[in-house]
């Protein structure tokens, strides 16, 4: 009940004219970056970040999170109408969304996607409303060993459940940690890993990495394919929208299951992309209409969309309550929180009640705003897709360059952005995940500090991680997740052999 | 044409080299345990070793299991048409500043693809530079790099 009261207070804050206006702007910008190839939620949010420094933190986070919702919706639009995923997390939506639209039912496909997306997001927000302050309460009792164990669990779940090759995930993660360590060590004050470049004392900023990895890298991937933008009618028939939305409850089992998968993957940082693929795969395996998948099956749209948005939303839960972002975009927002002078983690719920509950309330409103706005603007943004890629690409390159430069007015950052761009291209091409790298840059220092403080407490003995039940459980759970790929492979190898025997 | 094997190996070598550099560099900070707690090089050292070991694994895996062709010639061509102008754009910023660089970049892209007249391309180029100035320099007061050219003209 206390939560409900706090939430009502949050609505008071979020429902001011100023904040509704920021929501509209944020959602529209979000749809724009979601639709454009090469710009996505992570770099869209990074680009807006410098512009929020003068704002109230709660206004700033409403703007940024609304942009996130907009981007999640925008990514689905291009997936369905053009078979071009605007966001990595909407790739799975192309499997059935595009065939349905191509067969003359674009409105049905869009409405199905937005309806289930809204349901997924709602599931995520409700989860946050109900459990965030409870999680924060538990986390208040955490000491450095517990924190390190939670970080360890978060990183392990990337490796075990992220869906990318585990060793590639590990390398990506470790590179992020190394980059986080560049510059002045906060504990000893000594300078680390600058490789003889004096300017690197300031460290590697996550915004620079995001601009390169997600901006330049994504563009290089996108340019490879020749775009054949076939004009599917992008007119929205409102009666069909309502009929489709009214028909959604028929798929309530699929909706609930996908929302659960999404929430789980969002909290344990598997991220929206992995969530949507996993949900699609499970839906296909369990559905009686399995043969229809890939040909425009509604459940094939519902499953990835619900999970995508549920994961995207619930990724903010660990960010707020523990200071561990559940996705790359959440990591960027958390970077923002730290720049605004807030300390993400359980103390937020005590010291910054207005901020936390204002944000949570704005998530309810922001998603409603996003559904309405995206339906209204589909034709406009669809027209944008007909602008040739060779015009869009230079514009995006220039925007990313300015974004990277403006972080600290440094040309070195622009050079690093190009380096990250090449790395991002190679990584994407070869199925190395990028989100762990960004996450590790943002919270690598904190994880390291937690480890070193634990070691100080125990005078150098690793035994501290096995001294209390909670820590031990978390560490063992993490270790189990790390070993998951190995276990799966062993089971996989044993299964055919046992079957082969008579 | 680029084979999956060469791209996998190249990437693994890049990450491996980075890992090795991290390991070597972290040794300067000291690794292990001292009176002040865990030495500041320890964590990077472990991380560097992880990168190095993972890269070796990826190198072997990539060599054994890579797709034969990962980049067809047509894809490679389109990739270079975007990549090289971008690299030049970034490269000339310290010389001529971001405004002329952006203008030339937009002009070049439009002229190369022969869409519309050269006059249109020139107008779009000037428009792009102007938009940059209006949005960033004026509205958000972010000072953008002017380059040696800008300094020479006293901006």
């Amino acid at each position: 009940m206390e939560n409900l009261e706090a939430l009502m207070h949050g609505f008071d804050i979020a429902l001011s004219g100023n904040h509704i206006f920021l929501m509209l702007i944020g959602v529209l910008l979000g749809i724009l970056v979601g639709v454009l190839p090469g710009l996505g939620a992570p770099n869209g949010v990074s680009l807006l970040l410098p512009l929020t420094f003068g704002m109230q933190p709660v206004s700033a986070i409403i703007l940024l999170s609304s942009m996130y919702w907009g981007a999640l919706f925008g990514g689905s639009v291009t997936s369905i109408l053009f078979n071009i995923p605007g966001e990595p997390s909407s790739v799975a939506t192309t499997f059935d969304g595009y065939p349905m639209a191509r067969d003359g039912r674009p409105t049905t496909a869009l409405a199905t996607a937005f309806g289930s997306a809204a349901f997924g997001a709602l599931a995520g927000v409700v989860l946050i409303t109900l459990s965030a302050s409870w999680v924060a309460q538990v986390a208040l009792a955490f000491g450095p060993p517990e924190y390190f164990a939670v970080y360890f669990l978060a990183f392990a779940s990337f490796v075990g459940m992220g869906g990318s090759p585990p060793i590639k995930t590990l390398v990506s993660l470790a590179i992020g940690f190394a980059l986080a360590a560049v510059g002045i060590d906060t504990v000893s004050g000594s300078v680390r890993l600058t490789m003889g470049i004096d300017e690197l004392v300031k460290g590697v900023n996550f915004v620079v990495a995001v601009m390169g990895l997600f901006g330049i890298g994504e563009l290089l991937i996108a340019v490879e394919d020749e775009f054949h933008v076939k004009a599917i009618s992008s007119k929205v028939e409102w009666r069909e929208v309502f009929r489709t939305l009214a028909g959604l409850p028929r798929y309530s089992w699929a909706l609930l299951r996908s929302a659960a998968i999404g929430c789980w993957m969002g909290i344990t940082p598997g991220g929206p992309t992995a969530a949507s693929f996993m949900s699609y795969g499970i839906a296909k395996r369990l559905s009686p209409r399995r043969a229809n998948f890939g040909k425009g099956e509604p459940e094939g749209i519902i499953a990835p969309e619900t999970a995508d948005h549920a994961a995207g939303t619930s990724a903010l839960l660990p960010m707020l309550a523990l200071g561990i972002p559940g996705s790359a975009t959440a990591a960027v927002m958390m970077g923002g929180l730290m720049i605004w002078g807030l300390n993400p983690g359980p103390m937020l719920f005590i010291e910054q009640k207005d901020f936390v509950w204002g944000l949570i309330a704005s998530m309810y409103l922001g998603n409603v705003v996003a559904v309405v706005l995206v339906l209204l603007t589909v034709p406009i943004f669809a027209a944008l897709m007909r602008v040739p890629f060779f015009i869009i690409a230079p514009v995006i390159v220039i925007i990313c360059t300015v974004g990277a430069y403006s972080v600290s007015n440094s040309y070195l950052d622009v050079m690093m952005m190009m380096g990250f761009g090449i790395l991002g291209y190679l990584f994407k091409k070869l199925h190395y995940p990028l989100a762990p790298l960004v996450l590790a840059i943002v919270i690598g220092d904190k994880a390291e500090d937690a480890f070193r403080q634990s070691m100080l407490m125990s005078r150098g003995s690793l035994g501290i991680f096995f001294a209390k039940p909670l820590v031990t459980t978390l560490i063992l759970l993490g270790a189990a997740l790390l070993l998951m790929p190995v276990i799966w492979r062993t089971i996989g190898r044993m299964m055919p052999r046992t079957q082969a025997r008579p | 044409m680029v084979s999956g094997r060469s791209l996998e190996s190249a990437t693994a070598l890049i990450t491996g080299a980075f890992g090795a550099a991290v390991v070597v560099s972290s040794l300067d900070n000291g690794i292990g345990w001292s009176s002040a707690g865990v030495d500041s090089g320890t964590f990077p050292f472990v991380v560097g070793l992880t990168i190095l070991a993972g890269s070796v694994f990826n190198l072997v895996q990539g060599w054994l299991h890579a797709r034969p062709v990962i980049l067809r010639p047509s894809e490679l061509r389109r990739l270079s048409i975007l990549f090289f102008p971008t690299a030049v754009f970034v490269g000339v910023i310290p010389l001529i500043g971001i405004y002329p660089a952006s203008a030339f970049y937009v002009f070049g892209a439009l002229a190369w693809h022969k869409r519309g007249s050269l006059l249109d391309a020139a107008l779009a180029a000037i428009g792009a530079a102007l938009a940059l100035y209006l949005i960033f320099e004026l509205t958000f007061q972010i000072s953008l790099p002017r380059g040696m050219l800008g300094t020479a003209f006293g901006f």
Side-chain angles (χ1 to χ4, degrees), chain A residues 47 50-51 148 167-168 170-171 173-179 181-182 185 187-188 190-195 216 219-221 223-226 388-391 393-395 397-399 401-403 405-406 409 411 414-415 417-418 422-423 425-427 429-432 444 447-448 451-452 455-456 458-461 489, chain B residues 4 7-12 14-15 18 21-23 25-26 29 33 35-44 47-48 50-51 53-55 57-58 61 67 70-72 74-76 78-79 82-83 86-87 89-94 98 101-103 105-106 109-110 113-115 128 132 136 140 142-146:
Chain A
L47 274 170
L51 313 183
F148 178 74
I167 300 295
K168 288 184 171 174
L170 193 65
V171 168
L173 198 54
I175 290 177
F177 276 127
L179 291 170
V182 173
D185 168 29
V187 178
S188 69
S190 54
V191 173
R192 298 191 293 184
L193 303 183
T194 52
M195 317 268 172
I216 308 292
L219 269 187
L220 292 173
I221 290 280
V223 76
E224 272 179 14
D225 301 308
E226 207 150 8
F389 187 71
F390 65 84
I391 296 180
V395 173
V397 169
I398 294 171
I399 291 176
T401 308
V402 172
Y405 179 83
S406 64
N409 285 353
Y411 182 66
V414 177
M415 302 281 283
M417 177 203 72
M418 272 309 274
I422 297 168
L423 191 73
Y425 169 78
L426 290 171
F427 272 23
K429 192 86 191 154
L430 302 172
H431 307 291
Y432 287 68
E448 185 189 353
F451 178 74
R452 286 163 78 174
M455 287 297 101
L456 276 178
S458 70
R459 300 179 175 280
S461 154
R489 190 177 293 180
Chain B
L7 206 62
E8 288 273 8
S9 318
T11 306
I14 292 172
T15 56
F18 178 73
V22 170
V23 168
S25 174
S26 66
N29 295 93
W33 178 259
S35 53
V38 178
D39 280 332
S40 58
T42 315
F43 193 75
V47 165
T50 311
I51 301 174
S55 303
F57 179 88
N58 288 335
Q61 282 283 316
R67 279 186 288 160
I70 203 159
L71 267 177
R72 287 190 297 275
S74 62
E75 291 173 332
L76 198 60
R78 270 197 294 276
L79 194 61
L82 177 62
F83 179 75
T86 303
F89 163 70
V90 166
V92 298
I93 288 176
I98 201 162
S102 307
Y105 186 27
V106 171
L110 293 181
H113 290 276
K114 296 202 179 75
R115 194 70 69 88
L132 267 188
F136 291 98
F140 293 110
I142 294 168
S143 170
L144 298 180
R146 282 153 176 68

Side-chain angles (χ1 to χ4, degrees), chain A residues 243 290 439 442:
Chain A
R243 195 183 311 145
R290 201 173 315 164
L439 217 67
V442 175

Side-chain angles (χ1 to χ4, degrees), chain A residues 35-99:
Chain A
V35 166
L36 290 176
L39 275 182
N43 38 15
V45 174
S46 310
L47 274 170
L48 269 188
L49 205 52
L51 313 183
T52 62
F53 292 163
M55 290 185 188
Q56 290 283 328
V58 68
S59 311
I61 193 77
I62 287 178
L63 177 67
L64 295 189
S65 60
S66 300
M67 183 169 198
Y68 188 20
W69 317 137
L72 287 173
F73 278 100
S76 323
V77 174
T78 51
S79 292
I80 289 169
L81 292 182
F82 303 104
N83 205 18
I84 300 166
E87 293 278 299
S89 61
S90 45
V91 171
T93 308
T94 61
F95 300 160
D96 279 281
Y98 180 68

